[in-house]
C-alpha cells in the first residue's frame, strides 16, 4: 500500500488536499497537533471511501525533534507523495514582531520542512512515481511589507525546493520535487498570523481562493512535470519551470 503524507492536514489547504488525494484513491498519513480535527478528516475520508487507510500522526513541528521522530515512526510505510504543508505566519513589522512566534514559525516553515524533505529524499530519490510537494506562498516570490519574516521564510521554501528539483534532475533521480505557491486563501492562516479570533476574507480582501480551489491547484501541479505552481497577481494559477536563477556546478 502506498501513502500520501500531508503535514498540517487538520485545517485549510492541508485538509482539502487530503480530501483531494483521497478522491484519487490514495491512502493517507495526516499530521498536525489537533487530533480532533484529524479524526474529523478521517471520518470525512471514510464517508467518501471506507476502503482507504487514514493514519493519524500527532506532531508539533515547531519542535524539530518531533520532525525526526515523525519520520522514523513512518519507517514501515511505503510513501508515494510527501507534502510539507504545515506552516504559519506573523503579520507585523519587523520591529513589532513577536519573537517567540517568529521562532516557532521559522522552526515549522523552514527547519522541520528541511529535515522532513531531506529524510524523504534520502530514502525515496530512486523510487519511481514519488513526489515531494512543499507549500510555499506567492510571498515566497514577492516580499510583502508587513509580513517580511514570513515572506522570507517562504523564499527559503521556494529556493530550497526549486534547488532540490534541479539537483534531482541533474542526478537523473526518479523523485520529483515541486513547490506550490498560493496567494490569499480562506483558511485559519490569516487569523492566526494576526492573532485574531476571526478574519472575514470576504469583507477584508478584494480577491482570495478557497482552500478547496488551492487543493485543486495542488492536484494540477501533482499531475504535471513542471516544478512551480504559483498564483499570480491576477489570482490566476500558473504552472512553470524553476523561477529562481540557478547556478549549476
Ligand atoms: P491553516 O488553516 O492555519 O493550516 C495550517 C496547518 O498547519 C494546520 O493544519 C496546523 O495544524 C498546521 N500547523 C501549524 N503549526 C504547526 C505545528 N507547530 N506543528 C504541526 N502542524 C502545525 O493555514 P493554511 O492556509 O491551510 O496553511 C497551509 C500552508 O499554506 C502554510 O504553509 C501556509 O504558509 C501556506 N499558505 C497559506 C496562504 C493563505 O493565505 N492561507 C497563502 C499562501 C501560502 P495544528 O494547528 O492542528 O497543528
Amino acid at each position: 500500500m502506498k501513502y500520501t503524507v500531508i503535514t498540517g492536514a487538520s485545517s485549510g489547504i492541508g485538509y482539502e488536499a487530503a480530501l483531494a488525494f483521497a478522491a484519487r484513491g490514495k491512502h493517507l498519513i495526516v499530521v498536525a497537533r489537533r487530533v480532533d480535527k484529524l479524526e474529523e478528516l478521517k471520518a470525512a475520508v471514510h464517508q467518501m471511501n471506507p476502503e482507504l487507510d487514514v493514519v493519524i500522526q500527532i506532531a508539533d513541528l515547531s519542535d524539530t525533534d518531533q520532525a525526526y521522530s515523525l519520520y522514523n515512526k513512518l519507517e514501515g510505510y511505503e510513501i508515494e507523495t510527501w507534502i510539507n504543508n504545515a506552516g504559519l505566519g506573523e503579520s507585523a513589522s519587523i520591529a513589532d514582531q513577536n519573537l517567540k512566534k517568529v521562532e516557532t514559525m521559522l522552526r515549522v516553515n523552514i527547519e522541520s520542512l528541511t529535515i522532513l524533505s531531506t529524510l524523504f529524499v534520502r530514502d525515496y530519490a530512486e523510487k519511481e512515481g514519488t513526489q515531494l510537494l512543499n507549500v510555499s506562498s506567492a510571498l515566497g516570490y514577492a516580499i510583502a511589507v508587513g509580513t517580511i519574516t514570513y515572506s522570507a521564510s517562504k523564499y527559503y521554501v521556494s529556493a530550497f525546493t526549486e534547488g532540490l528539483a534541479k539537483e534531482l534532475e541533474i542526478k537523473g533521480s526518479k523523485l520529483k520535487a515541486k513547490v506550490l505557491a498560493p496567494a490569499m486563501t480562506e483558511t485559519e492562516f490569516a487569523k492566526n498570523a494576526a492573532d485574531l479570533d476571526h478574519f472575514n476574507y470576504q469583507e477584508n480582501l478584494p480577491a482570495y481562493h478557497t482552500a478547496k480551489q488551492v487543493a485543486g491547484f495542488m492536484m494540477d501541479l501533482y499531475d504535471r512535470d513542471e516544478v512551480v505552481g504559483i498564483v499570480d497577481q491576477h489570482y490566476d494559477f500558473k504552472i512553470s519551470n524553476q523561477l529562481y536563477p540557478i547556478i549549476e556546478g
Side-chain angles (χ1 to χ4, degrees), residues 7-15 31-38 58-63 66 84-89 104 108-109 113 135-139 150 153-154 180-190 192 201 205 208-209 211 214:
T7 70
S10 61
S11 69
I13 295 167
Y15 188 98
V31 184
R33 292 166 302 179
R34 289 172 295 173
V35 66
D36 54 326
K37 299 281 182 190
L38 294 178
I58 307 304
D60 181 348
L61 296 175
S62 69
D63 171 1
Q66 293 194 34
N84 285 311
N85 163 75
L88 64 146
T104 298
V108 177
N109 294 11
L113 176 136
V135 179
S136 177
S137 169
L139 304 187
Y150 169 72
S153 79
K154 292 300 188 177
L180 180 74
M184 289 304 290
T185 309
E186 188 177 22
T187 66
E188 297 179 11
F189 180 87
N192 290 339
Y201 281 76
L205 295 173
Y208 59 91
H209 287 121
V214 173

